[in-house]
Amino acid sequence: MELVLISGLSGSGKSVALNLLEDAGFYCVDNLPVVMLTVLIDMLRQEKISKVAVGIDARSGDGIELLPERLRQLEKNGVRYSFLFLQAGEETLIKRYSESRRRHPLTTESRTLEEAIRRESELLAPLAELGHRIDTSDLKANALRDWVRQFISGTGEGGLTLLFQSFGFKHGLPLDVDLVFDVRCLPNPFYDLALRPLTGRDAPVIAFLEASPDVLRMRRDIARFVADWLPSYVRDNRSYLTVGIGCTGGQHRSVYLAETLCREFAGQAPRVLVRHRGLA
């Protein structure tokens, strides 16, 4: 069975992810109580259903703390799973709820929207460490669909996925990175008017950056650090390691380094991916 678990904060895009999985042929169940997880999977295995996606969040009741134990049970029973946790910044969630005029599931007469978001973050914090995290704060729905599609394309392969993610510090630090490298000290193509509208994928920007010894040195240093510590993350049984590379705007320097590092590490992990938050 191919099992994908979707969790995360309300308003972070779980419905978008589950709808995509349903379109991809998964049997989807949302808002499942954790205590029912093993029962559901046993039933679906008997029915020979091979692709299943389950949404678990704060609406699932007080049994959330039981999830790690239920997942261990599934593994003992030969069920391999992938876990995707979606999150977003508090300001983003408040804005989304204000625009949609929907009610947060944890709001009450005595609990404001802000308090409900913080309470949910506290409840779900232990789950964020169970799998791969995606920060949807600055993502449009189409970009999130692409990232989820990329995630499920590797389900069932096993091993660690190494992800290089570029971003711009002016938009805030992503919530879903494990390691962060700040490359704002490098020469900036933004100040060349001919290069400003381009990105780190374009040949003129690449030539500009590779003409700088500091850029090449930074690339070597990041590559050496990741290569030295990658075996330790593999031994820790991680499914994903996300390496964030940030410049000011997330258009040039970080994009170039993420792309080149992705190519350099190809073959050194079961899957090596690249994402660009500033270009999404």
Side-chain angles (χ1 to χ4, degrees):
M1 174 180 285
E2 184 178 353
L3 173 62
V4 178
L5 296 164
I6 305 288
S7 187
L9 303 179
S10 301
S12 62
K14 295 191 303 298
S15 295
V16 172
L18 283 168
N19 288 339
L20 172 72
L21 289 165
E22 188 171 32
D23 291 343
F26 283 75
Y27 182 94
C28 295
V29 180
D30 192 15
N31 192 20
L32 181 75
V34 173
V35 294
M36 295 295 296
L37 179 59
T38 52
V39 176
L40 173 72
I41 298 306
D42 288 343
M43 180 185 71
L44 295 179
R45 290 179 83 179
Q46 292 177 15
E47 296 295 326
K48 309 297 184 184
I49 295 176
S50 60
K51 299 172 68 175
V52 181
V54 177
I56 294 176
D57 54 40
R59 299 170 298 165
S60 299
D62 298 329
I64 289 177
E65 69 278 0
L66 299 175
L67 185 58
E69 187 271 332
R70 290 293 192 273
L71 294 179
R72 285 191 291 270
Q73 276 187 254
L74 290 175
E75 288 182 321
K76 287 180 181 178
N77 293 333
V79 178
R80 297 181 62 178
Y81 67 87
S82 299
F83 194 103
L84 181 62
F85 188 90
L86 304 181
Q87 59 194 122
E90 184 176 311
E91 290 185 7
T92 299
L93 295 174
I94 291 173
K95 181 180 179 182
R96 288 175 181 173
Y97 270 99
S98 298
E99 290 175 348
S100 67
R101 300 186 180 276
R102 296 183 61 194
R103 176 183 174 278
H104 191 283
L106 297 188
T107 54
T108 64
E109 292 182 0
S110 60
R111 182 184 288 157
T112 65
L113 174 59
E114 292 88 343
E115 292 169 340
I117 291 172
R118 290 169 191 160
R119 175 56 181 156
E120 186 179 41
S121 297
E122 294 171 0
L123 287 171
L124 298 181
L127 303 191
E129 305 304 319
L130 296 178
H132 178 50
R133 294 171 293 148
I134 294 181
D135 177 6
T136 69
S137 300
D138 300 314
L139 290 185
K140 296 179 181 179
N142 284 338
L144 176 56
R145 291 187 191 97
D146 287 341
W147 287 22
V148 173
R149 191 178 292 111
Q150 187 182 68
F151 171 77
I152 64 173
S153 70
T155 57
E157 292 183 3
L160 180 141
T161 295
L162 177 61
L163 169 63
F164 291 97
Q165 178 172 300
S166 70
F167 68 93
F169 275 98
K170 75 175 184 179
H171 302 299
L173 187 69
L175 302 174
D176 52 3
V177 291
D178 301 301
L179 302 173
V180 177
F181 294 94
D182 182 352
V183 301
R184 288 175 291 184
C185 60
L186 300 179
N188 192 351
F190 177 85
Y191 296 110
D192 185 321
L193 294 180
L195 301 180
R196 183 176 297 181
L198 305 178
T199 77
R201 291 169 163 170
D202 294 312
V205 173
I206 293 172
F208 172 90
L209 291 171
E210 292 188 342
S212 167
D214 284 345
V215 171
L216 301 180
R217 180 185 172 192
M218 178 70 80
R219 190 177 77 188
R220 288 194 301 269
D221 286 348
I222 295 175
R224 184 173 63 250
F225 183 93
V226 174
D228 286 348
W229 286 99
L230 187 59
S232 296
Y233 287 105
V234 172
R235 286 195 298 270
D236 194 39
N237 293 320
R238 292 222 182 185
S239 299
Y240 265 79
L241 176 65
T242 302
V243 179
I245 302 172
C247 60
T248 305
Q251 300 287 323
H252 301 104
R253 295 165 290 182
S254 62
V255 171
Y256 161 77
L257 285 167
E259 289 280 343
T260 54
L261 288 166
C262 179
R263 290 194 294 270
E264 183 171 341
F265 277 84
Q268 297 189 43
R271 284 205 307 164
V272 181
L273 306 175
V274 64
R275 291 179 185 159
H276 303 296
R277 182 167 296 275
L279 306 184

